[in-house]
Amino acid sequence: MSDLTTETLQEYDRKYVWHPFTQMKEWEAEPPLVISKGEGSWLIDSDGNRYLDGVGAIWTNVHGHCHPHINNAIKEQVDRLEHSTLLGLASEKPSILAKKLIEIAPEGLSKVFYSDNGSTAVEIGIKMAFQYWRHLGRAEKSKFISFKNAYHGDTVGAMSVGGVDIFHEVFRPLLFPTIQAPSTCCYRCELCLEQDSSRCNRECLAELERIMETHAHEVAGLIIEPLVQGAGGMIVQPDGFIRRVRELCSRFDILMIADEVAVGFGRTGTMFACNRESVTPDIMALSKGITAGYLPLAATLTTQKVYDAFLGEYSELKTFFHGHTFTGNPIACAAALASLELFERESLLKNLSSKIEVLQARLNAMIELKHVGDIRQCGMIAGIELVRDKGTKEPYNWVDRVGMSVCREARKHGIFLRPLGNVIVIFPPLSVSIEELNFLMDGVQKSILAVTEHPEDI
Ligand SMILES: *Cc1c(COP(=O)(O)O)cnc(C)c1O
């Protein structure tokens, strides 16, 4: 433990750390909360205050903070081998983990390419799909279909297939162009506002089909966040959507890349979101939950068919020329293996259904609130969208930062949250107890009420 005072830690932070997705002028104006410990679903600050971790360490935490089983697996691995490389060497833990991932992945995925974060897992998927068609002698298939509101990471390739204007627009000149399909149920178009989102979804799919009819000959792959568009605002797709996308990709000979970085590892109630509709993508990107929130690790899974296209004589240059220094780090792989053991040992997926029901009941009660415009849930993910006018769904101006104010208020109730604009995100560790979940939702409800209905009392 550090024996520095909270004030000193705050000073070091403000003096030296540049925070992600943060207006630092605002950050510097106030002393930050400094987290020094974690315990189950809780974060503990440098003054000993406890906060329920409502965003699961930014969507990564599965079994709670500092779980003894994962802690021990990491400690054991540190004393065996901290890192070698997968460039020219095999390694114990990455081999065992790859076998395990293929066992639990949708049927038909058979190879694992490691990296160390969600953005790189996506970049690898894009590069793989691109190079695949070159090896097949169809270099004209070089473009990508992506979705409006999609988020696939912050590196240049991953941003190129992204569709959240507020993050991506400034970088547009740097990005490669994609063919953008409309987002699934957008909650904003006229059809959705008239409560006919199923028609909106049908029209989105019809538009996707038209895009494919026109462009399939030049398209390498389609990239989708299955079931839920995360950073775009927790936008939940209707039943059957990814199954239909899979059918269209197959029909038009387009590789389907499923970005399960946020939704993988139990988050939506099944091990992977694709499992829900028995979909096997051609390429699947995994990261956030893979080490249960412990260490950076990512994996891009693909099929034998894609892999085989890269086989050839060395001189043919069919090699997949890509690799990161910490690819398949053994300590991270040991954490991932220990996490998967816990999934089995604690029947985690089976036990999730009662928590998902409690979350749903609590959310249903909140739809009555005056400034709650929409509530979206998929498994243990929820997004509560706050609006200025419930009738017209007129949004709050994003510069009003109502979402941020609610999350600030929640700290008074012992809860840590991080919004997406004016969407309050609920993404607790999957190990959260029903009692903790109720505590979380009590605090969320009180905070929304205080900020949107009784701001004079704050
Ligand atoms: C977070 C996220 C990424 C990017 O992962 P990083 O580890 O932050 O690079 C990619 N895709 C989805 C769906 C994500 O939620």
Side-chain angles (χ1 to χ4, degrees):
M1 275 298 284
S2 143
D3 46 14
L4 299 176
T5 63
T6 298
E7 288 71 25
T8 307
L9 293 166
Q10 287 169 332
E11 182 201 322
Y12 288 0
D13 176 273
R14 287 196 282 177
K15 207 158 165 196
Y16 302 111
V17 181
W18 189 344
H19 286 259
F21 283 98
T22 302
Q23 176 43 259
M24 293 306 291
K25 180 173 179 219
E26 213 170 74
W27 182 269
E28 285 180 20
E30 260 188 90
L33 205 60
V34 181
I35 298 302
S36 3
K37 277 175 71 176
E39 235 176 67
S41 302
W42 300 84
L43 294 169
I44 301 161
D45 76 11
S46 46
D47 295 326
N49 301 307
R50 295 165 67 84
Y51 302 89
L52 198 136
D53 187 358
V55 288
I58 209 68
W59 315 356
T60 61
N61 197 289
V62 178
H63 308 290
H65 294 281
C66 286
H67 193 293
H69 183 66
I70 305 179
N71 287 10
N72 287 333
I74 290 173
K75 288 174 196 165
E76 275 171 31
Q77 184 58 39
V78 169
D79 284 333
R80 280 174 81 86
L81 172 68
E82 76 301 330
H83 189 56
S84 52
T85 176
L86 292 187
L87 297 165
L89 287 175
S91 177
E92 261 178 49
K93 289 298 187 296
S95 308
I96 302 170
L97 177 62
K99 174 173 186 289
K100 189 80 200 160
L101 288 173
I102 292 307
E103 280 165 15
I104 61 173
E107 173 122 35
L109 293 170
S110 62
K111 295 285 171 184
V112 177
F113 194 101
Y114 286 113
S115 62
D116 38 33
N117 64 72
S119 307
T120 55
V122 165
E123 297 274 342
I124 288 161
I126 291 170
K127 287 176 68 176
M128 241 177 216
F130 179 87
Q131 199 175 343
Y132 168 81
W133 292 109
R134 306 223 137 207
H135 293 331
L136 261 57
R138 300 186 61 187
E140 74 284 1
K141 278 174 84 69
S142 61
K143 296 189 175 161
F144 289 85
I145 296 175
S146 61
F147 287 90
K148 178 79 197 147
N149 292 326
Y151 177 81
H152 298 290
D154 295 334
T155 53
V156 171
M159 279 196 295
S160 298
V161 288
V164 184
D165 291 345
I166 178 173
F167 304 158
H168 299 140
E169 219 29 59
V170 59
F171 297 110
R172 197 57 65 191
L174 267 184
L175 310 182
F176 63 76
T178 63
I179 304 166
Q180 197 178 70
S183 159
T184 52
C185 187
C186 61
Y187 302 95
R188 284 278 160 264
C189 71
E190 280 177 20
L191 291 174
C192 288
L193 290 178
E194 285 164 18
Q195 309 294 321
D196 196 359
S197 55
S198 63
R199 203 169 129 214
C200 168
N201 288 317
R202 277 199 307 279
E203 295 198 355
C204 286
L205 281 168
E207 176 62 16
L208 181 63
E209 189 171 349
R210 280 193 292 275
I211 288 174
M212 287 188 179
E213 272 163 3
T214 314
H215 294 284
H217 65 281
E218 53 175 354
V219 172
L222 166 147
I223 182 160
I224 185 168
E225 293 161 88
L227 298 191
V228 186
Q229 287 187 316
M234 297 305 170
I235 298 171
V236 177
Q237 295 152 17
D239 288 345
F241 192 86
I242 55 167
R243 165 139 288 278
R244 181 74 184 134
V245 169
R246 171 71 271 183
E247 285 165 11
L248 288 172
C249 286
S250 300
R251 189 167 117 213
F252 288 99
D253 222 4
I254 289 169
L255 294 178
M256 176 178 179
I257 306 172
D259 176 355
E260 293 234 11
V261 169
V263 291
F265 298 98
R267 187 48 63 174
T268 66
T270 47
M271 186 53 101
F272 299 107
C274 284
N275 294 137
R276 172 90 73 101
E277 302 198 0
S278 308
V279 160
T280 299
D282 299 285
I283 294 172
M284 183 162 99
L286 301 174
S287 185
K288 291 195 171 89
I290 193 170
T291 60
Y294 269 74
L295 288 160
L297 181 70
T300 307
L301 276 53
T302 193
T303 60
Q304 196 67 37
K305 185 173 106 180
V306 170
Y307 174 85
D308 283 347
F310 288 74
L311 302 181
E313 297 307 319
Y314 185 75
S315 57
E316 292 178 81
L317 294 180
K318 285 187 167 182
T319 303
F320 188 43
F321 290 107
H322 190 109
H324 299 280
T325 308
F326 282 101
T327 286
N329 173 264
I331 304 174
C333 290
L337 282 164
S339 168
L340 292 176
E341 282 160 14
L342 287 176
F343 265 92
E344 284 176 30
R345 191 198 286 181
E346 303 186 349
S347 308
L348 190 108
L349 292 177
K350 210 167 105 231
N351 294 333
L352 268 184
S353 46
S354 55
K355 300 180 197 180
I356 293 171
E357 278 168 27
V358 169
L359 179 59
Q360 188 173 7
R362 296 299 310 252
L363 291 166
N364 286 346
M366 273 189 221
I367 193 72
E368 302 304 328
L369 301 187
K370 199 167 149 209
H371 291 278
V372 169
D374 191 36
I375 294 185
R376 307 185 278 271
Q377 183 197 5
C378 181
M380 289 295 279
I381 303 176
I384 304 168
E385 181 150 355
L386 305 174
V387 291
R388 187 189 295 277
D389 185 311
K390 201 177 175 104
T392 62
K393 301 254 167 122
E394 181 203 348
Y396 281 109
N397 192 330
W398 65 269
V399 290
D400 291 346
R401 317 267 308 258
V402 171
M404 197 56 96
S405 303
V406 169
C407 296
R408 273 312 178 93
E409 179 69 12
R411 291 187 193 177
K412 296 185 196 158
H413 301 284
I415 289 164
F416 178 73
L417 294 172
R418 168 103 184 159
L420 289 163
N422 290 321
V423 177
I424 307 302
V425 173
I426 312 290
F427 211 114
L430 296 183
S431 59
V432 69
S433 71
I434 301 257
E435 195 189 353
E436 288 167 340
L437 195 54
N438 277 314
F439 175 90
L440 170 63
M441 298 313 284
D442 284 343
V444 168
Q445 181 154 346
K446 283 182 202 148
S447 307
I448 292 176
L449 269 172
V451 170
T452 62
E453 296 190 35
H454 306 290
E456 66 284 357
D457 298 343
I458 294 178

